[in-house]
Amino acid sequence: MAFIQAFGAYLPQTIVTNDELAARLQCDPQWIVTASGIRERRRGGAEESVIEMAAQAGAACLARAAAEIGSIGAIVVATGTASRRFPGPAAEVACRLGCPSGVATLDVPMASAGSLYGMALADSLA
């Protein structure tokens, strides 16, 4: 049975406020909060690709878990915004993290619920 030992995260530096978004959509900023629950979002810059952000989050997770890279059995990346479909970002993330060859890499090309699906998939691999 798999379990979550730690989480890692990466947040892009650029913050997009509801005020900025509301001006473009010609709506009230509070309506965005009411409709979505979102108060702000982050936008990655040119140097902040999905691969770079995932590798940063993965490194943070490994550090938080005090885990060695050799203990990783699989890398699962769930995103709806990969820069290319094939090969997907998971293999590059594994490479940037320094995973040994033979580590399974899987891409879940799905936004929103993709992270939940990715966790369920990781659980089935354990």
Side-chain angles (χ1 to χ4, degrees):
M1 174 178 197
F3 64 93
I4 296 172
Q5 185 172 346
F7 273 98
Y10 176 85
L11 290 175
Q13 296 300 310
T14 303
I15 297 173
V16 180
T17 67
N18 283 346
D19 290 335
E20 292 174 67
L21 192 58
R24 287 191 299 191
L25 298 174
Q26 299 177 338
C27 68
D28 180 61
Q30 188 56 41
W31 175 83
I32 296 172
V33 175
T34 303
S36 68
I38 298 171
R39 297 190 182 282
E40 68 178 31
R41 67 233 12 95
R42 303 291 179 119
R43 179 183 309 134
E47 71 287 349
E48 294 174 307
S49 69
V50 166
I51 292 168
E52 183 58 33
M53 291 187 275
Q56 293 283 345
C61 183
L62 287 167
R64 185 170 287 145
E68 297 293 324
I69 194 65
S71 67
I72 302 300
I75 299 287
V76 179
V77 175
T79 181
T81 58
S83 59
R84 62 179 187 247
R85 282 203 173 278
F86 183 81
E92 181 68 22
V93 170
C95 182
R96 289 192 186 195
L97 288 174
C99 289
S101 62
V103 170
T105 60
L106 300 162
D107 293 292
V108 179
M110 180 189 310
S112 300
S115 58
L116 296 174
Y117 185 79
M119 285 193 287
L121 181 60
D123 181 50
S124 70
L125 295 171

